């Protein structure tokens, strides 16, 4: 485990990422509505935007802990689709001709964001507090999405949204075609709230501590 001093994020990267967000945010808002930004990956985008402009290790570390591993799974599934053997089918929408190419192009951020976050953590240093910050954010998002956001089927349209997302962060199961039926819905959410920190965030946190530079001290 190496220690590192803060190394500022290159200006071209800041400008390029900001330009991307200036296209994505209004496009997603107009097409899917504001609730779309409750997805873990979208929250990570906003954390990353703040981090690249402030060189904030804590924010980028939290985003990396939360989505690097899931998004690498997304990449693997996408590559599987390209060769005709998709392992999970989670990226089938990227090959759906009914979805505009523009939105499929925007969604490619799932493929490059995890690698960008690893680079940023390597450059800025890993802040171990990022694990706790992301866990708190994720738990709050799960609760909000379960209590207030629409389920996969029979979802009422939310006023002001043209195509509101359903089953945000998989709080009703792994399929958007319908809620899972093999356990009590409350138990499913409880398993999410326990399983994600233990099986996804904690292993990522451990890998970052071991293989990426860790900051020398916490900045005030």
């Amino acid at each position: 485990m190496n220690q590192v001093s803060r190394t500022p994020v290159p200006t071209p990267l800041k400008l390029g990422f900001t330009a991307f967000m200036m296209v994505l945010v209004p496009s997603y808002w107009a097409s899917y509505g504001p609730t779309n930004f409750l997805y873990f990956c979208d929250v990570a985008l906003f954390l990353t935007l703040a981090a690249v402009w402030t060189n904030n290790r804590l924010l980028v570390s939290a985003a990396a802990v939360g989505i690097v591993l899931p998004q690498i799974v997304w990449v693997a599934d996408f590559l599987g689709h390209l060769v005709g053997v998709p392992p999970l089918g989670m990226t089938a929408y990227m090959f759906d001709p009914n979805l505009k190419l523009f939105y499929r192009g925007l969604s490619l951020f799932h493929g490059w964001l995890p690698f960008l976050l690893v680079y940023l953590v390597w450059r800025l240093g890993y802040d171990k507090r990022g694990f706790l910050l992301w866990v708190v954010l994720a738990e709050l998002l799960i609760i909000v999405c379960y209590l207030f956001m629409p389920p996969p089927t029979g979802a009422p349209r939310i006023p002001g949204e043209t195509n509101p997302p359903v089953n945000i962060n998989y709080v009703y199961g792994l399929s958007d075609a319908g809620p899972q039926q093999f356990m009590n819905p409350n138990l499913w959410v409880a398993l999410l709230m326990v399983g994600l920190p233990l099986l996804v965030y904690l292993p990522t946190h451990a890998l970052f501590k071991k293989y990426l530079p860790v900051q020398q001290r916490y900045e005030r």
Side-chain angles (χ1 to χ4, degrees):
M1 180 178 69
N2 299 319
Q3 292 184 330
V4 67
S5 298
R6 185 191 304 274
T7 305
V9 177
T11 298
L13 192 156
K14 294 179 180 181
L15 296 176
F17 188 80
T18 302
F20 169 76
M21 291 293 285
M22 290 176 68
V23 174
L24 179 138
V25 171
S27 299
Y28 275 14
W29 189 295
S31 184
Y32 307 120
T35 60
N36 187 80
F37 300 108
L38 293 173
Y39 280 107
F40 293 148
C41 52
D42 291 283
V43 172
L45 282 174
F46 286 106
L47 291 177
T48 305
L49 180 63
V52 297
W53 283 103
T54 61
N55 298 305
N56 190 296
R57 294 182 175 119
L58 176 59
L59 296 181
V60 77
S61 297
V65 163
I67 64 107
V68 162
L69 183 56
Q71 299 296 264
I72 287 177
V73 173
W74 189 98
V75 172
D77 193 76
F78 180 78
L79 294 176
H81 267 282
L82 288 178
V83 299
V85 285
L88 298 175
M90 65 187 299
T91 59
Y93 72 95
M94 292 294 290
F95 302 87
D96 182 357
N98 294 316
L99 180 62
K100 291 182 179 179
L101 186 61
F102 172 73
Y103 290 101
R104 284 184 276 166
L106 287 178
S107 194
L108 283 173
F109 82 82
H110 294 93
W112 52 258
L113 183 60
F115 302 102
L116 172 63
L117 285 170
V118 171
Y119 165 76
L120 290 173
V121 173
W122 170 80
R123 189 175 184 95
L124 295 174
Y126 180 60
D127 188 326
K128 292 180 285 186
R129 298 173 300 171
F131 168 73
L132 180 58
L133 174 58
W134 182 263
V135 169
V136 172
L137 283 174
E139 304 289 69
L140 290 174
L141 287 168
I142 288 172
I143 292 171
V144 168
C145 292
Y146 183 57
L147 294 180
F148 303 110
M149 296 296 106
T153 56
R157 300 187 71 84
I158 299 176
E161 295 190 4
T162 57
N163 187 26
V166 298
N167 194 26
I168 300 173
N169 297 322
Y170 302 109
V171 294
Y172 292 100
L174 297 178
S175 173
D176 287 345
Q180 59 82 24
Q181 301 291 332
F182 49 88
M183 68 175 66
N184 182 282
N186 294 330
L187 178 58
W188 171 264
V189 171
L191 288 177
L192 274 185
M193 296 180 71
V194 174
L196 286 175
L198 289 179
L199 301 178
V200 178
Y201 310 147
L202 188 59
T204 306
H205 170 65
L207 287 172
F208 285 172
K209 284 198 303 179
K210 184 173 182 180
Y211 294 109
L212 291 176
V214 175
Q215 70 178 96
Q216 292 179 4
R217 63 182 182 278
Y218 298 137
E219 293 85 5
R220 295 185 183 275

